[in-house]
Amino acid sequence: MRFEIKQRRLLSLSLILIFALSVPAQQTRIEQSAPNVERLRSHITYLASDALEGRRTGTEGANKAAEYIAREFAQYGLIPAGGSLSEAHTGASFQKFPFVAGVELGRTNAMLFTPSAATSGATAQTRATSLDLRLQEDWMPLGFSMNGRAENLSATFVGYGITASELNHDDYASADVNGRVAIALADTPDGDNPHGQFARYADVRWKAIAAREHGARALMVVASEENFRDERLAKLSYDNSAGDAGLPVVIVSRQSAQRILTTGGLAPLADLERAARERISSTSSSAAVAVGANQAHKPLALPLQNVSLTIAVDIKRREVPAMNVIGILEGSDPQLKTEAIVIGAHYDHLGRGGSGSLAPREGDIHHGADDNASGVAGLLELARIFSAKRARISRTLVFIAFSGEEEGLLGSSFYVNHPVVPLEQTVAMINMDMIGRMRDNKLIVGGVGTATEWRDWIGMANFKAAPGGLVFTTPDQPNGPRHPISELPAGASVNGSIIGTPKFTLTLNEDGYGPSDHSSFYAKKISVLFAHSLFHRKYYSLN
Ligand SMILES: [Zn+2]
């Protein structure tokens, strides 16, 4: 193995990071510059305590955790950097980001279905035939729907409402939905098959994007459940990672859809569904012909005749504070300190359950000791140790405890769009998520394919961390004396042999994407590392 010694500054950083929690439990020596088991334990004990109620984003428990982390950062002398770096000295360490804790129905939701070619100047007679659809019984707005009122619109049935250019499929290809309501079937032609070619378009968010991009004024999705009360999309919820749809989006019961479609001159719903499926599955096209599509295998877009729709959506979003906690340790090298390395761990967890949890019922606290009080404890220890060694730290270190991770990497997504050090100067991001349950010395490191140096550096660090450290022999005396790696003068390189025993059994994954906050950074083309111990049975259940 050959390496340049000028890499050593970063090498020692990744070394300390990855092996920060490797201190044997029996070690009692308290050292300011070494990871301390008691400190790690006390961080985890507090963060995972009942008092913090599982640290769900936007809750009191999460805010208490944020305050605890901010206090620790302050004790280590980190610069609080919730705002921009220029105001860092006066600002707090909280970086607030928008978060919706819940949605509820407002007062002005309405859907009116008028079975005639109504216009805004419709006569009293045609108005008399209008039918109010009952909120919650016949229809519901979706949580991510735009609020607003769309009046007396024509409508077009657009099959599954999928635009998938890589599949050469566009349900809107022959449809003019401009200024109209697009009526789409839920799900995909693949049915329940999660591996079907259209599976990734099943999410109603994609349908909303397709409808909006084709100029629709509103999207009406037809329920797939016969009983509207069983319909998943009819249960009002909000996905913070998706944001507003940009147009009203509603779901209607199958019975209401049937009435609207047949009144508009189209075939019964079941026939339309069969036609939409068969058109794609390239089998019999008889159904498509039967309902009036001109050609088989062509998009099935059918305008409704003599029907107009009025849709008013009123969703109240309950916004609550959510924040990342950011502390900066300025590098000591006059040149290199303009470069930053982000070290992160999310502090939020699942609170008292709900979606995403395997726990048997809602209400019990998910303490999240491993996920991710363990990572935060590691983060705090690294912040403490590095601040004690500041003179030896060349680059600026940005310590971030993220929130909103469990809700879809919200905190880290917000950070990369509002960084306290510009991303062009951010050379790497190192993430810790679930590092508390190491078994048999097994450690997983992801993201090693995101920088050419990672693999070598991690390999080196793994040797260096082992008892006895890392030694080398010189090329002229391969079996000669062994020198500790620390004896290498700055700027020297080794062409001889590196000798040592690895400390950990490492599993290295190339991918820079993964189920945690480093993904947000890798998406911005920043090199990442992701350290975690083996997944275990208690993942995402009560631990
Ligand atoms: Zn996690």
Side-chain angles (χ1 to χ4, degrees), residues 194-470:
H195 304 296
Q197 59 174 342
F198 289 100
R200 61 172 290 228
Y201 294 96
D203 194 317
V204 71
R205 281 185 289 166
W206 290 108
K207 296 179 195 254
I209 290 169
R212 196 182 63 213
E213 286 182 347
H214 288 91
R217 281 286 307 282
L219 171 65
M220 176 185 288
V221 180
V222 179
S224 48
E225 293 289 343
E226 205 58 46
N227 187 344
F228 196 58
R229 288 174 193 281
D230 298 334
E231 177 60 44
R232 182 180 54 87
L233 292 176
K235 296 179 186 6
L236 200 59
S237 67
Y238 189 80
D239 178 355
N240 277 279
S241 62
D244 191 287
L247 81 173
V249 182
V250 302
I251 179 126
V252 290
S253 71
R254 295 178 63 81
Q255 296 74 19
S256 302
Q258 169 93 338
R259 228 167 63 199
I260 294 168
L261 292 165
T262 52
T263 307
L266 301 191
L269 180 57
D271 292 350
L272 291 172
E273 285 175 322
R274 195 165 58 246
R277 268 197 311 273
E278 291 185 353
R279 190 173 46 80
I280 284 161
S281 66
S282 309
T283 54
S284 161
S285 60
S286 57
V289 173
V291 295
N294 296 334
Q295 288 170 280
H297 317 308
K298 281 282 166 61
L300 179 72
L302 304 167
L304 279 68
Q305 310 295 332
N306 304 323
V307 165
S308 81
L309 289 160
T310 292
I311 298 172
V313 170
D314 179 13
I315 302 273
K316 297 274 181 262
R317 293 177 185 154
R318 193 161 55 84
E319 290 213 21
V320 296
M323 56 257 195
N324 298 323
V325 189
I326 307 178
I328 288 184
L329 184 66
E330 202 168 36
S332 56
D333 183 293
Q335 262 83 53
L336 288 176
K337 72 176 185 182
T338 59
E339 295 184 3
I341 296 167
V342 172
I343 302 178
H346 75 87
Y347 69 89
D348 66 300
H349 191 56
L350 299 170
R352 289 179 180 269
S355 60
S357 165
L358 299 180
R361 63 181 190 279
E362 287 195 28
D364 293 330
I365 296 174
H366 294 58
H367 295 95
D370 191 22
D371 187 10
N372 186 29
S374 68
V376 175
L379 179 77
L380 292 176
E381 268 301 80
L382 289 177
R384 185 183 66 81
I385 292 163
F386 282 130
S387 59
K389 296 180 170 181
R390 206 205 130 199
R392 289 167 54 193
I393 307 298
S394 308
R395 290 177 177 80
T396 293
L397 300 181
V398 182
F399 295 92
I400 311 180
F402 295 107
S403 190
E405 193 272 351
E406 307 283 7
E407 324 279 339
L409 314 184
L410 303 180
S412 53
S413 300
F414 186 84
Y415 178 83
V416 296
N417 289 304
H418 305 82
V420 297
V421 175
L423 295 187
E424 308 80 65
Q425 290 159 238
T426 302
V427 295
M429 189 276 179
I430 298 168
N431 185 32
M432 293 169 284
D433 197 347
M434 302 177 72
I435 56 173
R437 288 180 186 263
M438 183 173 286
R439 295 275 182 276
D440 306 324
N441 259 4
K442 287 178 186 161
L443 183 68
I444 301 171
V445 182
V448 299
T450 66
T452 50
E453 297 90 344
W454 281 149
R455 203 171 264 278
D456 280 354
W457 289 358
I458 291 165
M460 289 283 296
N462 196 21
F463 279 100
K464 207 172 160 186
L470 192 61

Side-chain angles (χ1 to χ4, degrees), residues 35 135 169 267 296 385 479 482 487 495:
L135 183 65
H169 175 90
I385 292 163
N479 297 315
R482 298 176 172 195
E487 284 181 10
N495 286 312

Side-chain angles (χ1 to χ4, degrees), residues 44-227:
I44 293 173
T45 302
Y46 175 69
L47 292 169
S49 66
D50 280 352
L52 269 58
E53 295 187 289
R55 310 183 305 282
R56 182 162 212 143
T57 304
T59 65
E60 197 55 39
N63 297 346
K64 282 183 188 164
E67 281 157 20
Y68 176 85
I69 295 161
R71 275 198 305 275
E72 293 292 318
F73 279 179
Q75 273 183 29
Y76 313 146
L78 301 190
I79 302 167
S84 70
L85 193 53
S86 56
E87 22 175 299
H89 289 276
T90 53
S93 43
F94 298 141
Q95 180 183 51
K96 295 196 170 148
F97 59 86
F99 181 73
V100 174
V103 282
E104 54 195 52
L105 293 171
R107 290 163 178 271
T108 60
N109 289 288
M111 189 186 296
L112 203 64
F113 154 53
T114 306
S116 79
T119 64
S120 50
T123 65
Q125 200 172 11
T126 58
R127 274 195 189 133
T129 62
S130 294
L131 292 171
D132 270 317
L133 274 72
R134 296 161 302 168
L135 183 65
Q136 306 195 61
E137 308 279 324
D138 302 322
W139 77 284
M140 271 292 276
L142 270 67
F144 77 135
S145 172
M146 188 179 87
N147 283 334
R149 187 177 177 91
E151 197 103 24
N152 282 333
L153 299 180
S154 305
T156 300
F157 176 73
V158 293
Y160 287 95
I162 292 172
T163 298
S165 51
E166 83 277 18
L167 296 172
N168 205 13
H169 175 90
D170 186 2
D171 280 323
Y172 288 88
S174 66
D176 178 13
V177 295
N178 203 28
R180 299 166 73 98
V181 178
I183 303 180
L185 301 169
D187 305 324
T188 77
D190 300 326
D192 293 336
N193 179 4
H195 304 296
Q197 59 174 342
F198 289 100
R200 61 172 290 228
Y201 294 96
D203 194 317
V204 71
R205 281 185 289 166
W206 290 108
K207 296 179 195 254
I209 290 169
R212 196 182 63 213
E213 286 182 347
H214 288 91
R217 281 286 307 282
L219 171 65
M220 176 185 288
V221 180
V222 179
S224 48
E225 293 289 343
E226 205 58 46
N227 187 344

